[in-house]
């Protein structure tokens, strides 16, 4: 009988939110994960069940099954430049719209 990750999670977890999601976390970037979890995932480097559970900072153990990986898309220079320009204009507008200080 093949290992079914979802069945295992439903039997082993005590957290209702994990049961509801059937253990699915969705897409995550390695940089958003705790260091120990990220290192274990990077060490494996490919889809599949990690050989060992990983302990998080909160003391909980995590059984991790990597379903798929994909490279991170990066924005072009032009897009980043346009976004920064828009943010700077918005910040400038906020400063300009502030009332002048009251004279004492």
């Amino acid at each position: 009988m093949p290992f079914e990750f979802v069945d295992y999670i439903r039997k082993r977890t005590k957290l209702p939110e994990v049961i509801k999601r059937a253990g699915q976390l969705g897409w995550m970037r390695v940089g958003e994960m705790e260091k120990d979890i990220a290192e274990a995932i990077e060490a494996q480097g490919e889809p599949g069940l990690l050989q060992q559970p990983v302990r998080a900072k909160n003391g909980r153990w995590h059984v991790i099954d990597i379903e798929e990986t994909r490279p991170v898309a990066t924005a072009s220079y032009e897009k980043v430049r346009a976004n920064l320009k828009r943010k700077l204009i918005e910040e400038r507008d906020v400063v300009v719209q502030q009332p002048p200080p009251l004279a004492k």
Side-chain angles (χ1 to χ4, degrees):
M1 179 176 182
F3 176 79
E4 291 294 329
F5 184 76
V6 173
D7 293 336
Y8 179 81
I9 294 302
R10 286 188 174 135
K11 289 177 188 173
R12 302 290 299 183
T13 190
K14 297 174 183 165
L15 303 172
E17 65 271 14
V18 174
I19 294 170
K20 183 178 179 181
R21 290 190 323 258
Q24 298 290 318
L25 297 177
W27 287 104
M28 295 181 72
R29 291 184 176 176
V30 174
E32 297 170 337
M33 301 174 191
E34 287 186 22
K35 181 182 175 193
D36 294 338
I37 293 172
E39 287 175 355
I41 289 171
E42 285 186 320
Q44 175 143 334
E46 60 186 32
L49 186 67
L50 267 61
Q51 294 298 313
Q52 298 290 324
V54 181
R55 192 169 201 165
K57 289 180 183 177
N58 63 10
R60 292 186 177 145
W61 288 93
H62 295 270
V63 176
I64 301 172
D65 184 18
I66 304 169
E67 291 184 351
E68 189 178 350
T69 62
R70 64 182 179 197
V72 176
T74 56
S76 67
Y77 170 77
E78 290 78 20
K79 186 171 184 172
V80 171
R81 183 173 182 248
N83 285 340
L84 286 173
K85 184 176 179 180
R86 181 183 47 79
K87 286 180 182 180
L88 286 170
I89 290 170
E90 287 172 1
E91 287 177 13
R92 184 188 66 204
D93 289 347
V94 170
V95 172
V96 170
Q97 293 174 3
Q98 289 180 350
L102 298 174
K104 292 183 181 182

